[in-house]
Amino acid sequence: LVHMLPTVAWSPRRNLTFGLSGVIGYSQIKGNPPSPTFAAPRANLKMDRAWGLGAKFGLLWDPYDWLSLGFAISSPVWFESFKSYDDVIRSPVNTPLHTQFGFAWHVDSQTDLAVDFRYIAYSHVTVIGKSPDAGGFGWEDVRALLVGVQHRLTERWILRAGFQISDSALPKEHAFAGALVPGHPRRGFG
């Protein structure tokens, strides 16, 4: 899965910037995954491709020298269906709507602290959000808190650290079906 984002940005003032992107999605599959009835797929290891389209919008505002505020929203990326694997993947594999807002506190000229809140609407994507008995993976929407700090040691060296805490996209009752696709980590640090 790849998203390409041709983007335009506009700054009507020195402390305010808007961005708009078209999202061109490309996805491919080649495999021998079992169908919902555990029959071999008709595609039999044939490469299949799907294209998708979506959009993103964001803004960054610096109301004070010590504070930056940001907001971004991304539409779903609506993909065409995989034609060769339509017996296994019965709906397009769209990527979900997500939105994020946050702030950065510029503690001093070398140190920044950032806090973001993110929402990902997995349950609204048919192949991901439907229950496994209906051909999906049963994922639920995710809300996440992300916190990070960076400190500029020199012009060339910057130290960064952060962590994320979020809901689980995969409810316990769908854990077996969810083992077939990569998950969404509930906690992380870097």
Side-chain angles (χ1 to χ4, degrees):
L1 175 67
V2 175
H3 286 170
M4 297 164 275
L5 290 92
T7 302
V8 295
W10 176 56
S11 294
R13 297 190 311 235
R14 184 181 100 357
N15 67 342
L16 181 64
T17 302
F18 297 96
L20 181 64
S21 300
V23 180
I24 302 166
Y26 174 78
S27 185
Q28 65 184 29
I29 184 172
K30 179 181 178 180
N32 203 9
S35 71
T37 62
F38 290 99
R42 292 189 313 258
N44 197 21
L45 296 174
K46 179 182 176 189
M47 178 68 74
D48 199 355
R49 294 167 177 82
W51 290 91
L53 292 173
K56 287 188 175 191
F57 169 79
L59 68 89
L60 181 63
W61 179 40
D62 299 320
Y64 306 102
D65 289 341
W66 54 270
L67 180 66
S68 296
L69 303 172
F71 170 79
I73 186 165
S74 178
S75 77
V77 178
W78 295 280
F79 279 85
E80 59 189 347
S81 294
F82 289 113
K83 292 169 187 58
S84 299
Y85 290 87
D86 62 353
D87 58 328
V88 178
I89 304 171
R90 297 182 176 166
S91 301
V93 184
N94 300 327
T95 54
L97 172 137
H98 60 273
T99 186
Q100 186 165 325
F101 66 93
F103 68 89
W105 173 34
H106 311 294
V107 178
D108 58 37
S109 62
Q110 279 92 20
T111 307
D112 300 315
L113 172 68
V115 177
D116 282 355
F117 302 93
R118 181 181 296 160
Y119 172 77
I120 306 171
Y122 287 121
S123 70
H124 301 280
V125 176
T126 303
V127 78
I128 297 172
K130 282 178 27 179
S131 67
D133 57 340
F137 295 110
W139 284 21
E140 297 176 342
D141 297 344
V142 169
R143 289 161 297 278
L145 168 69
L146 300 94
V147 178
V149 64
Q150 78 172 14
H151 181 75
R152 291 171 209 73
L153 293 174
T154 68
E155 286 294 318
R156 298 183 68 178
W157 289 93
I158 299 174
L159 292 178
R160 292 185 175 131
F163 68 90
Q164 166 194 316
I165 299 172
S166 69
D167 302 328
S168 175
L170 185 62
K172 291 177 184 166
E173 64 268 19
H174 299 312
F176 179 74
L180 300 174
V181 293
H184 186 282
R186 291 186 63 203
R187 288 173 178 64
F189 64 93

